[in-house]
Amino acid sequence: MDDPLANAAARDNVLARVRHALRRTGPDPNRAAAAVAYVARHVHGPRSAMPADLAARFVERAQDMSSTLECVAHRRAIPAAVRRYVDALRIEGADRAGVCWPEFADLDWAGAGLQIECRPTSGGDRLGITGAWCAIAETGTVVVLSGADTPTGTTLLPDTHIAVVPATRLVSGMEEMFALLRAERGRLPRAINMISGPSRTGDIEQTIVLGAHGPFRVHILLLD
Amino acid sequence: MHVASMHFVRRAHDKLGDAGLQKNLGTFKTRFVGARARAITELDDFEGTREAAREIRQRALDNLDTYLEMFEKNATANGATVLWAETPADVNRLVLAIAAKHSVRKIIKSKSMVSEESALDHAIEAAGLSVVETDLGEYILQINDYEAPSHIVGPALHKSKEEVSDLFAKRHGTARKTDIGELCMEARQVLRQHYLSADMGVSGGNFFVAETGSVVLVTNEGNATLTTTLPRVHVAISGIEKIVPTMEDVATLMRLLARSATGQSISNYVDILTGVRGAGEFHGAGHMYFILVDAGRTGVLDSDLRAALRCIRCGACMNHCPVYQNIGGHAYGWVYPGPIGSVLTPMYVGLENALPLPHASTLCNQCGVVCPVKIPLPDLLRTLREKQVERGLRPWSERAGFRLWSWVAQRPALYALGTKIAARALRWMGGADGYIRKLPLAEGWTSGRDMRAPPGKTFRELYAQSKRN
Ligand code: SF4
């Protein structure tokens, strides 16, 4: 039986039409070499000047995108900061519960009166506590990479996403994030998720409503 | 999608008389235009960034063969399967074949305009599978018996909250809600169940990155992120023109996309997806497919309209178009409305099937001024008008009129006499106040406005007079 996904003919036809449109009879080695060389140069477009204080810019922009922020001095202070945030939101009782990434499993959540389990979520959890691979000052964006210890759903499915962003991981723009990826990872993960504030929609009469599908709230703990 | 572009004039008339639509369009006009104007001032060098974006997209098109092959090689190396669709029908066939291969019963979709071209949802349902649109606007249209989208960014912008209230109460069997927040909440709850139970996610692709074999998805709702994170199979469908060479190119284009579209400095969710779920990963698709779609793109590439393929689908040209602002998107009769739609539709569905569209513009160039990749939309519309003439597609009355005019214009004495009579006749029709209320053969013009009558003498007469003095 023919494989319904066998596709070589379509591929060749499309590429032949592209080459015909570009007035090329076959692969043109010189032109192709120039196109490949362009990729290797990783040319930047015009950039806006970023202030020396990236943290200040990050905070301002993250707030613009409807994230809330708090600075915490050290890792151990994270559970208390989460508790304060949750209390201010008045998520009572059972709603002081949620899930976190493994990197925060060692923190004293119970001591802060929170029930935080270290596991991925399949929905139904109220709080999702994650780290960040880096954060982008230009746009107030939290960047997470997929991986065995960084389940993507924790940023997406809970009602509230709390992201711990180490100040040392602030970069100025998306270009610096890509450079960091090349330096530290080499190979791209399955997903780079850039999160700038809570999920929103303006699809009914252009009225902005937060929490369209993903979290209603994104709270960032900026770790010094 | 069914093409109804030949009915543009009649539909535009209907839309102008639709009070509900006119009210919705009223808020629309002010909001997007103002937000964009503010957002572009955040960039130190907006015009320079626009020029860079134009170059990026043009470079991709001028080297499309190289970058497509580079994309295919890298995507494949990362564990994805790259498929090619020559026609809209191929898109549907491939999606169904993938679904069959992985025993898929339920499909969720985040917004894909290409899949509107092929009416993918209908094909999925015809095959006995279920499909749910997750972009709130697309979802609203889907549950309203697949109403056509009217805008490429906000497909349901034409609907009022009352219409949505009625629709939700009817389809969800819930109490009628009138608060927009509550309506969104209800949709959230319904769609959440679909996300969790779907086997396959179908997304579009804002960009395909040649350097890495990745797809970039941009949303505010986060629906593309959910669609590509939870189901076990992910299919990303987009036109072959959506290739960009590098990640840095994506960074430049992203500075313009959200600003031009909604006036945001960035969209809430930007995802760059590369390959399949890694070892030990809890979420993410284990099977990833790309469908690279031609469906007319190579034809545009091979024409003097190549620049149109630079489009990054921001919607700014329609947001700023005085014609779109007054009639909305439905009158254009196909997937892409507004100025870019008036260029792409004739090229994708045939010049002869969309004759009114290149004329659905005053050529005021608002679209050209705001387009983040500098597509000269009025020039392209003019080019299409020329093609209509060259192919003899204009109505006989227009052709006869122009032939008569050119015959007269080549006979100076006759021309002078003709214009002399016409100028005086028009002056006479203007009456005491100098306004013409009804002009034979041009009632379409005078039914909406009065025309100032000319002063009664032709330019030549006035010129000769001034020479004498
Ligand atoms: S033609 Fe330009 S302005 Fe219109 S949608 Fe495309 S990129 Fe945006």
Side-chain angles (χ1 to χ4, degrees), chain B residues 322-447:
Chain B
V323 177
Y324 182 97
Q325 285 174 349
N326 283 289
I327 60 171
H330 280 159
Y332 295 82
W334 199 55
V335 178
Y336 307 101
I340 187 65
S342 295
V343 173
L344 291 180
T345 306
M347 291 305 283
Y348 289 168
V349 308
L351 226 48
E352 63 284 1
N353 295 319
L355 288 176
L357 295 189
H359 299 268
S361 165
T362 63
L363 304 183
C364 73
N365 197 32
Q366 270 298 301
C367 49
V369 169
V370 296
C371 176
V373 288
K374 293 185 155 181
I375 301 174
L377 289 154
D379 292 349
L380 302 187
L381 291 169
R382 221 177 277 120
T383 304
L384 282 165
R385 293 180 185 184
E386 284 164 20
K387 283 187 197 297
Q388 290 185 353
V389 174
E390 280 162 15
R391 286 187 39 196
L393 292 168
R394 299 306 305 157
W396 72 268
S397 53
E398 184 182 305
R399 277 183 288 157
F402 275 117
R403 223 172 288 135
L404 178 68
W405 182 84
S406 90
W407 187 81
V408 175
Q410 288 168 57
R411 287 160 181 81
L414 189 60
Y415 185 88
L417 180 70
T419 49
K420 220 170 178 171
I421 296 170
R424 281 171 179 74
L426 287 170
R427 173 74 199 89
W428 173 78
M429 286 170 70
D433 65 356
Y435 279 98
I436 299 170
R437 307 236 139 63
K438 195 162 186 290
L439 195 61
L441 300 175
E443 274 112 357
W445 177 261
T446 46
S447 70

Side-chain angles (χ1 to χ4, degrees), chain A residues 7 38 42 49 199 206 214, chain B residues 31 44 84 188 211 221 249:
Chain A
N7 198 239
Y38 170 77
H42 296 297
S199 160
Q206 295 161 69
Chain B
R31 179 150 319 185
D44 290 356
W84 303 70
R188 176 189 165 101
E211 148 182 46
E221 296 183 5
D249 291 342

Side-chain angles (χ1 to χ4, degrees), chain B residues 22-140:
Chain B
Q22 288 301 321
K23 188 170 149 270
N24 297 344
L25 287 171
T27 34
F28 160 83
K29 272 185 224 182
T30 43
R31 179 150 319 185
F32 280 120
V33 172
R36 172 194 171 273
R38 257 191 318 280
I40 63 171
T41 62
E42 292 170 354
L43 295 178
D44 290 356
D45 184 7
F46 171 68
E47 280 306 324
T49 310
R50 245 181 114 219
E51 178 55 26
R54 185 195 70 77
E55 283 170 17
I56 287 167
R57 295 294 299 131
Q58 191 63 37
R59 180 180 297 110
L61 297 173
D62 293 344
N63 297 282
L64 196 55
D65 53 344
T66 308
Y67 290 128
L68 279 169
E69 285 185 308
M70 188 186 288
F71 175 83
E72 181 187 44
K73 181 167 149 273
N74 290 323
T76 310
N78 287 318
T81 305
V82 178
L83 300 170
W84 303 70
E86 293 188 72
T87 62
D90 285 351
V91 174
N92 297 354
R93 189 177 50 74
L94 289 170
V95 170
L96 291 175
I98 295 166
K101 180 169 175 179
H102 297 284
S103 311
V104 166
R105 311 251 313 269
K106 182 185 209 167
I107 296 171
I108 45 171
K109 274 182 75 203
S110 66
K111 200 144 75 73
S112 153
M113 301 306 288
V114 174
S115 76
E116 304 265 356
E117 291 178 37
S118 69
L120 175 61
D121 291 4
H122 292 292
I124 292 173
E125 289 183 345
L129 309 181
S130 70
V131 58
V132 181
E133 293 285 347
T134 61
D135 173 88
L136 179 58
E138 294 281 355
Y139 175 72
I140 290 168

Side-chain angles (χ1 to χ4, degrees), chain A residues 125-145:
Chain A
D125 292 297
R126 300 301 291 271
L127 296 174
I129 301 167
T130 75
W133 185 74
C134 77
I136 300 173
E138 182 178 343
T139 46
T141 302
V142 176
V143 181
V144 298
L145 305 185

Side-chain angles (χ1 to χ4, degrees), chain A residues 4-5 7 10-11 13-15 17-24 31-32 35-36 38-39 42-49 61 65 120-122 138-139 141 146-148 152-153 156-157 159 174-175 178 182 187-201 203-207 209 211-216, chain B residues 28 31 42-44 48-49 52 59 61-63 65 67 69-70 72 78 83-84 86 93 98 101 134-137 157 160-161 180 184-185 188 191-192 195-196 211-212 214 220-221 223 225-226 245-249 251-252 255 266 268-277 279-284 294 298 301-302 306:
Chain A
L5 291 177
N7 198 239
R11 173 191 189 275
N13 292 344
V14 174
L15 282 173
R17 279 200 294 272
V18 169
R19 290 205 178 96
H20 174 77
L22 299 175
R23 303 289 173 264
R24 273 168 228 168
R31 239 210 222 253
V36 172
Y38 170 77
V39 170
H42 296 297
V43 180
H44 290 200
R47 305 286 304 270
S48 296
R61 283 312 160 116
M65 298 302 294
T121 178
S122 299
E138 182 178 343
T139 46
T141 302
S146 62
T152 311
L156 265 178
L157 294 171
D159 297 344
M174 224 183 258
E175 287 86 344
F178 295 138
R182 288 187 187 108
R187 212 190 136 145
L188 290 185
R190 175 188 61 80
I192 304 169
N193 300 114
M194 294 181 239
I195 303 164
S196 310
S199 160
R200 79 177 64 200
T201 183
D203 274 352
I204 304 180
E205 293 194 348
Q206 295 161 69
T207 303
V209 176
H213 304 279
F216 294 94
Chain B
F28 160 83
R31 179 150 319 185
E42 292 170 354
L43 295 178
D44 290 356
T49 310
R59 180 180 297 110
L61 297 173
D62 293 344
N63 297 282
D65 53 344
Y67 290 128
E69 285 185 308
M70 188 186 288
E72 181 187 44
N78 287 318
L83 300 170
W84 303 70
E86 293 188 72
R93 189 177 50 74
I98 295 166
K101 180 169 175 179
T134 61
D135 173 88
L136 179 58
L157 280 179
S160 69
K161 90 175 172 207
I180 291 177
C184 291
M185 219 18 220
R188 176 189 165 101
L191 288 168
R192 183 57 76 92
Y195 284 121
L196 294 171
E211 148 182 46
T212 57
S214 316
N220 280 328
E221 296 183 5
N223 60 314
T225 318
L226 281 156
T246 68
M247 289 288 201
E248 282 71 12
D249 291 342
T252 301
R255 290 200 173 89
I266 189 154
N268 296 87
Y269 293 88
V270 179
D271 304 314
I272 302 181
L273 304 174
T274 314
V276 293
R277 175 170 14 168
E281 244 194 283
F282 186 76
H283 286 126
D294 181 344
T298 47
L301 194 70
D302 196 8
R306 184 183 293 178

